[in-house]
Structures are given as C-alpha cells and as structure tokens.
Amino acid sequence: MGRRVKQSQSEIDGVQYRRAKMWQIILVACNALVGMSVYSLIGMASYSASVGYGVTTAVVGVILTCTRILDGITDPLVAFLYDKVDTKFGKLRVLLISGFVIEALALWAMFDFMSSKGFGWAVFTLLYVVYVIGYTITNMTAQTFAAIMTNDPKQRPVIGVWGTAFNYLVPMVLSIVLNMVLLPKYGGEYNQGFLSAAVKVTIAVGTLGIILVSVGISAFDRPEYYGGVGKQEPLKMKDIISVLKGNKPLQCYIAAQASDKIAQQTASQAVINTMLCGILIGNMGLGTMLSVIGMAPSIIFAVIGARYAGKYGSKNAIVTWTKICMAVAALMFLFFVVIEPSSIAAMGLTMILYVVFTLALNGSKMCVTTAASSFMADIIDYELDRSGKYVPAVITGTYSLIDKLVSSFSAMIATGAVALIGYKQTVPQPGDTATAAVFWMTMMIYFGMPLLGWVVTLIAMKYCTLDKEEMVKVQKRIAEKKAMAEGR
C-alpha cells in the first residue's frame, strides 16, 4: 500500500498549485543582503560627492533628484531586456548577477577607485547613472521572483514575511558595522578612508546575497516557469500600453499603492518628524527608539498578515488591514487632540498609549504591505490569463515608474507645508515653539494624508474583482491553456 498523501489546499480548490520549498524562499529572501546593503551605502552618496569629487550640497541635490527620475524611467525599459534574455543558464540568474556586477563596479569606482582622484561632478554623475542602471536590472528581476516561485495563495505571502524580516535585520546589522565598528577606526568622520572601507563591506555582503539568491531561484530559472502560454512574440511597446489599458487590477493597485506611498513618504520626511517628535512631543530620540523596539512586533504582524492573506486572499487582506490602519490613525489623531503632546515625553500613561498606538499602526501597515506584495504576483498571473503573455517585468516596472514619479513629490509637499506655517527661510528645529499652526499642520500631514491615501485604496479595491475566488478561476484557466498548448 502506498503512503497516504495529505490533501493540500490546491486539491480543495481544484488547482494544482506549484510550491517552493521553505529553504528556497529563505534563500531568495536573502536578496535583502543585496538591496539593503546597497541602500545603506547609497545613503552616503552625498558624502562621497563632497569628499571625493568636490560637489557642493546644492548640486548633489539636483544630481540625486535627476537620477531618481532616471531610475523610474529605466524600470519599464528593463522589461524589454528581461524579455530578450534567455540563455542555457536561464534568465533570472543571468540578469540578477549581471545587474549586480554593474552596480557593484559603479559603487566601487564612485566610493573608492575614482574617488579623491581629482575628478569632478561629471564623473560622479556618470558613475551614479551606471549604478542606477545596474540596480534597476537587479531589482526589477528580483521583483518577479514571487510570481515565478509559487502560485499557491497561502505561500505567496510567506515570501513577503521572510523579506520583511531580512529588510529589518540587514540594515540594522550594517548600521552597527559601519557606524560603530568602521567609523571610529577612521576618526569618526565620513572621510575617504571610511568610504573606501564601507563600499568594500557593502560589495562583500551583496555578493554573498547574490550567491544565496541564485541558489534559491535556480530550480525556477527555466522557461516553463517564466514563459507564457503557447508561442510568445517579442515584447513591443504596444504590449506595455495594452497592459496598462487592459489590466484593471493593475490600475487599481497603482491607484491604491501610489496614494499610500506619497502619503507615507511625506509623513516620514525629516521636517515632519522634527515637528512631531522634536517640537510637539519634545523628544527627538523617541522615533528612533520606537523603530528599534518595533522590529519584533512588525515581523509578528507580517506573519499575521500573511496568514490572513493566505486564508482570505490578498485583495481582502488589503481592504481589511487598510480599515484597521484608518481606525488606529483616527484614534491617534483624537489622542493628540485631547492630551498635551509634550506629556508623551514623560514616562507615564500617555507615553505608553502613544507607543501602543504607534506599534499597532506600524504593524497594520506591515500587514497591508505583505498583502500588497502577494497581490502584485496575483496581478502578474491575471495578465497571463488575460493575454497569454507572461510579462512580470512589464507590470512591476510600470508600477515602479508611476510609484517613483508620484512619491518624488513627497519632499516638495512636506517643505511646502512647513513654508505655509512660517518656515520659509529656515526649517523646523527641535525645541521650537509648539504653536497651533505647527500642531494642526503636523496632524494634517502625519495622519490626514495617510487617511486620504487609505480612502483611495478602499475605493480602488472596490472596483477590483481580483479576489480569492477569482484567483482560483484564473489559475484553473492558466492550467487549462498550458495543457492545451502542450497538447495534453
């Protein structure tokens, strides 16, 4: 008698879902070693520009803004490269490794090899552009992994959980290494010696991440996983336009995520944080303390959010947790209205309530993020069912372009808001007078904008039909089309 196989959710749905092994998911999540290590380093680009190339702060701001726009433009263009690459070694690893080699060489030259050698802003800008190109190739390729590895609705959110854990852990460890180990060795200053050492550490960590991710994704780096249904024509610009016009779930997703993103990024600007923590509360270190103690609860929330999304579907999870975010944010707003905000800085009941509210809000946001990650994979499968084309890079690239263009206005909104209340020649500083104008503008940006963003999310999701039941139908139709194409 054969061994009895436990019935899986796929058999209940009537769909034969493909699943990744847990070790594969963990290794692929190690992409955070690449992304977050580079993120930690590139945050010091202004120091590299100043120390190594003599670029003034004002010029650095212009360069970084222009290259961010370039970063957004290159995202959908990578879809054409993604479509064309198909070697005997696969597609995913070739793009992932090639992109990393490009960005690693550019960063090494920017922070070490060509730094402090007498070159000026033109060389710095060129190296930064090359870094952006390499980063875009690596990042856009990695964003397609979740859809390729599994179509099991219970497993897709799990990938997001592991990604969240590494995204918290890696920058925290690197911050300790860079700021508490390396920096003191170079006199506590961001000098050339420190920058050269920092880029070498970053490249070493990133290389380890690339190796682990390549091992984790290797089993899925075959045409049967990243190909479409039937014979595939080369990607054309009209295909991108077709995706934008015909993929309604993508339209809803863009509206929901872009509105949330600009609200959250505006609220997280340094000037807004200064008004909240440094002026109203009177304790600038409180935000840093909450980010540290909030790591474990955020990961726990991510696990809870993943389980909820796996049980009820990604769309339902986005709607549910968005409503919870709105409720918590509304309570926090009322909390600030009825108390004296400066009392939060004292060790008492108001501080405890503020910490609880903040952890609950950040945790609920994490659940939305986890559900949104798996929903993007659902949208990719929806497009495969709709058009027969498997174009994950088109979908992720198109969203990323719009997301970056929209969110790039966050700093402008924040600085414009503080200018309206009198900060035209200066910026808010800790210890400034907590006026009524400061209070209401802070409340409007910190709670009002996110609430508006969440309202847009709920409206967008109302018009999106890609719920759990529809995804089961999508997967069934894809399986049938593939079977017909293979002559089964």
Side-chain angles (χ1 to χ4, degrees):
M1 179 181 290
R3 185 175 60 180
R4 183 178 180 182
V5 180
K6 184 178 179 181
Q7 187 181 35
S8 67
Q9 181 65 42
S10 62
E11 294 170 347
I12 295 173
D13 288 341
V15 180
Q16 187 59 51
Y17 291 118
R18 66 181 180 277
R19 291 176 58 87
K21 295 181 175 63
M22 185 56 68
W23 66 267
Q24 292 171 323
I25 291 176
I26 295 173
L27 289 185
V28 168
C30 288
N31 183 62
L33 293 173
V34 185
M36 298 311 295
S37 62
V38 171
Y39 176 81
S40 299
L41 177 70
I42 207 63
M44 295 183 281
S46 58
Y47 290 101
S48 175
S50 176
V51 173
Y53 302 88
V55 184
T56 64
T57 303
V59 175
V60 170
V62 174
I63 292 173
L64 297 185
T65 299
C66 292
T67 50
R68 178 170 176 79
I69 295 174
L70 172 67
D71 185 16
I73 294 173
T74 55
D75 285 348
L77 296 181
V78 169
F80 291 95
L81 178 65
Y82 188 97
D83 180 66
K84 289 184 178 298
V85 172
D86 190 7
T87 72
K88 66 178 181 179
F89 301 106
K91 175 196 297 279
L92 308 177
R93 289 167 296 176
V94 171
L95 287 169
L96 188 74
I97 295 171
S98 299
F100 178 72
V101 169
I102 292 172
E103 67 174 319
L105 288 175
L107 289 171
W108 173 62
M110 186 194 308
F111 282 83
D112 185 13
F113 181 65
M114 301 186 75
S115 186
S116 298
K117 301 294 194 303
F119 298 105
W121 68 268
V123 171
F124 173 81
T125 303
L126 176 62
L127 292 173
Y128 202 99
V129 168
V130 174
Y131 148 72
V132 166
I133 293 172
Y135 165 80
T136 301
I137 295 172
T138 300
N139 186 52
M140 296 309 300
T141 302
Q143 285 188 37
T144 68
F145 289 169
I148 291 172
M149 292 176 68
T150 176
N151 61 349
D152 188 321
K154 286 194 170 183
Q155 192 176 55
R156 273 182 171 169
V158 174
I159 298 176
V161 172
W162 281 100
T164 297
F166 282 114
N167 283 338
Y168 268 97
L169 185 61
V170 172
M172 182 177 295
V173 173
L174 272 176
S175 178
I176 294 173
V177 172
L178 294 177
N179 296 318
M180 298 180 66
V181 178
L182 276 184
L183 195 59
K185 289 185 177 182
Y186 295 93
E189 296 182 356
Y190 290 93
N191 52 35
Q192 185 57 57
F194 168 77
L195 295 174
S196 296
V199 72
K200 291 171 185 174
V201 170
T202 299
I203 292 174
V205 173
T207 300
L208 174 61
I210 286 291
I211 293 172
L212 294 175
V213 175
S214 297
V215 172
I217 200 64
S218 60
F220 303 94
D221 198 2
R222 300 200 299 268
E224 57 263 38
Y225 291 105
Y226 56 70
V229 176
K231 184 179 179 180
Q232 298 291 296
E233 297 294 329
L235 183 67
K236 300 180 178 64
M237 183 58 69
K238 68 178 183 180
D239 294 320
I240 296 180
I241 297 173
S242 173
V243 169
L244 267 176
K245 291 175 61 178
N247 195 315
K248 190 171 182 179
L250 176 60
Q251 297 169 2
C252 296
Y253 182 84
I254 289 173
Q257 292 299 298
S259 61
D260 285 356
K261 187 71 170 289
I262 190 171
Q264 301 299 333
Q265 286 205 353
T266 302
S268 65
Q269 292 295 311
V271 290
I272 305 301
N273 183 62
T274 297
M275 290 200 298
L276 178 69
C277 295
I279 299 177
L280 297 181
I281 296 177
N283 183 351
M284 276 298 293
L286 187 59
T288 303
M289 180 188 73
L290 285 175
S291 66
V292 174
I293 66 175
M295 185 180 75
S298 292
I299 294 175
I300 292 172
F301 266 97
V303 173
I304 295 172
R307 289 183 177 274
Y308 189 94
K311 185 175 182 180
Y312 298 103
S314 300
K315 175 197 167 182
N316 184 286
I318 291 174
V319 171
T320 299
W321 289 104
T322 294
K323 290 178 179 177
I324 294 175
C325 285
M326 294 179 71
V328 177
L331 285 174
M332 289 190 73
F333 170 73
L334 293 175
F335 173 69
F336 270 91
V337 170
V338 300
I339 68 163
E340 171 55 48
S342 60
S343 66
I344 295 175
M347 295 299 293
L349 179 61
T350 53
M351 171 176 270
I352 294 173
L353 289 174
Y354 176 72
V355 170
V356 170
F357 278 138
T358 301
L359 294 180
L361 182 59
N362 290 340
S364 300
K365 291 178 184 177
M366 186 61 63
C367 291
V368 174
T369 301
T370 302
S373 176
S374 60
F375 192 56
M376 174 61 84
D378 291 348
I379 293 171
I380 291 172
D381 283 347
Y382 173 85
E383 180 61 30
L384 176 59
D385 175 44
R386 186 186 78 89
S387 66
K389 293 181 177 293
Y390 196 63
V391 287
V394 171
I395 292 174
T396 56
T398 301
Y399 162 70
S400 185
L401 166 63
I402 297 174
D403 173 74
K404 288 176 181 177
L405 290 178
V406 171
S407 62
S408 64
F409 289 97
S410 58
M412 185 184 301
I413 294 173
T415 53
V418 298
L420 287 175
I421 58 174
Y423 288 98
K424 296 180 179 179
Q425 303 299 325
T426 60
V427 292
Q429 297 289 348
D432 286 355
T433 303
T435 63
V438 169
F439 176 83
W440 289 111
M441 184 59 75
T442 304
M443 294 298 102
M444 184 184 299
I445 298 295
Y446 203 80
F447 298 116
M449 280 194 67
L451 282 168
L452 287 175
W454 291 322
V455 168
V456 173
T457 295
L458 294 181
I459 294 173
M461 288 297 105
K462 182 179 179 180
Y463 290 96
C464 180
T465 59
L466 198 59
D467 55 15
K468 181 182 179 182
E469 291 73 22
E470 181 61 24
M471 273 308 299
V472 171
K473 297 176 183 177
V474 166
Q475 299 297 352
K476 286 181 178 179
R477 289 193 294 264
I478 291 174
E480 291 170 358
K481 291 175 182 178
K482 285 188 174 182
M484 290 179 63
E486 294 168 4
R488 296 204 304 265

